[in-house]
Amino acid sequence: MRDPDGLIARAGVRGDPNRDQHFLVDDRVLDRLPTYLTDIDADTSHVLEIGGGTGVLTDRLLETIGADDHLTVVERDPPLAEFLQEEFNDAIDAGRLTVIEGDALEVDLPEFTSSVSNLPYGVSSEITFRLLPEQRPLVLMFQQEFAERMVAEPDTSEYGRLSVSTQHYADAELVESIPKEAFSPPPAVQSAVVRLIPREPEYDVENEAFFLRFVKALFTQRRKTIRNGIRNTAHISGLQDPEAVVDAADEDVLQKRAGAMAPAEFAALAELASEVGELEAESE
């Protein structure tokens, strides 16, 4: 397999913190990343990698997936996308690799069966919530603090809107913490790998867009009771009659704070709110 430092040298680049570029160079970490998919027997017939960089993870993924499987890499930096096409031209010619030059938030993503990606940290949230609704197994790298918030449980300091939104789509597991020294140049913070296994939630949500917006609204008032949160955030949630929601909700729920509410409790309250709270037309 290709040496990470050799790939950086051949690409003729240096990581640039100002452009959110930190290249993973630790061979041991690189070797482990694809196994977080294979350990769960995920479908690797078409793997998606966001942020190919110099190809260090691309190289490992091509070695891991089957000979008849396909890998698509999205890279927004034109010189790096060109380098990937040159460095891995044999895999491209063999029909095993496609390189897409462009922003992962803007390009048309292919149909994929799973993803392993070292995401650009500055847009990791936006990319993650573009991938999660696709209901595919994901192995994604984030800043440690962000990863901890994704997997957090109610009644913990890390639990918040990100926890509820993530766990609405998938079972989230922090599978590995990665030291700063594994990157070149080292980022300011430690990183972590999260494995996301898609599953249907244990509750019904008729209006998913409202549910996610309702969760966001209540967490802007996380120190307030749910009663006051509903009243104070109608401009965010889109409720025209928040008082009707307060009148209809159980007192036990109204006395809680957002940080103590499990996703299923948010869902039940959101369903009630959408029924009695008169959503604004653009919020329906």
Side-chain angles (χ1 to χ4, degrees):
M1 286 181 279
R2 292 168 171 85
D3 172 59
D5 292 324
L7 282 168
I8 292 174
R10 286 197 295 280
V13 295
R14 291 184 179 180
D16 184 354
N18 293 326
R19 298 181 62 198
D20 207 13
Q21 283 185 336
H22 302 275
F23 298 127
L24 184 60
V25 294
D26 190 309
D27 285 300
R28 295 165 298 179
V29 175
L30 286 163
D31 290 343
R32 285 194 295 269
L33 286 176
T35 69
Y36 295 125
L37 272 188
T38 57
D39 284 351
I40 59 170
D41 294 323
D43 185 347
T44 60
S45 58
H46 192 166
V47 178
L48 175 67
E49 180 190 359
I50 302 293
T54 60
V56 291
L57 181 54
T58 304
D59 182 58
R60 262 55 175 196
L61 288 171
L62 286 171
E63 290 292 326
T64 303
I65 65 176
D68 296 326
D69 293 343
H70 194 81
L71 173 65
T72 294
V73 179
V74 179
E75 174 52 54
R76 67 181 179 181
D77 186 278
L80 285 175
E82 182 179 356
F83 171 74
L84 290 172
Q85 291 170 341
E86 295 173 353
E87 179 72 22
F88 296 95
N89 68 308
D90 287 349
I92 293 173
D93 290 344
R96 300 189 65 223
L97 174 66
T98 299
V99 176
I100 298 176
E101 178 189 323
D103 189 322
L105 294 174
E106 298 175 357
V107 300
D108 292 330
L109 298 177
E111 293 287 335
F112 66 97
T113 60
S114 53
S115 177
V116 183
S117 301
N118 177 15
L119 298 178
Y121 288 163
V123 290
S124 58
S125 178
E126 293 92 331
I127 293 175
T128 299
F129 284 97
R130 185 176 186 190
L131 298 179
L132 276 171
E134 298 298 323
Q135 292 288 288
R136 299 289 187 264
L138 309 173
V139 175
L140 306 176
M141 193 180 304
F142 303 98
Q143 292 183 2
Q144 176 87 25
E145 181 182 353
F146 188 91
E148 290 174 349
R149 288 162 53 204
M150 292 180 78
V151 306
E153 298 292 331
D155 282 323
T156 62
S157 59
E158 294 84 8
Y159 185 73
R161 171 196 173 192
L162 177 61
S163 318
V164 177
S165 301
T166 299
Q167 294 165 33
H168 172 66
Y169 292 106
D171 290 325
E173 178 187 6
L174 198 161
V175 292
E176 180 175 0
S177 295
I178 301 175
K180 295 179 279 187
E181 295 74 22
F183 298 85
S184 176
V189 296
Q190 185 162 294
S191 302
V193 180
V194 175
R195 178 166 57 196
L196 297 147
I197 301 176
R199 50 103 181 94
E200 292 297 322
E202 298 176 350
Y203 48 81
D204 294 324
V205 171
E206 184 173 339
N207 186 334
E208 187 173 75
F210 172 69
F211 165 68
L212 295 173
R213 189 170 57 252
F214 188 63
V215 170
K216 173 184 177 181
L218 291 180
F219 271 108
T220 66
Q221 301 267 307
R222 66 177 301 145
R223 298 185 186 280
K224 305 287 187 180
T225 62
I226 293 297
R227 171 186 281 105
N228 289 331
I230 293 170
R231 288 169 170 165
N232 296 343
T233 62
H235 62 291
I236 300 174
S237 64
L239 292 172
Q240 294 191 76
D241 191 357
E243 203 61 41
V245 182
V246 170
D247 290 341
D250 290 340
E251 183 62 26
D252 288 346
V253 172
L254 294 173
Q255 290 180 0
K256 289 187 176 183
R257 286 169 172 75
M261 294 270 286
E265 293 178 290
F266 275 111
L269 185 59
E271 290 298 283
L272 175 66
S274 66
E275 291 172 7
V276 305
E278 297 182 25
L279 296 186
E280 295 175 1
E282 62 269 22
S283 301
E284 295 177 354

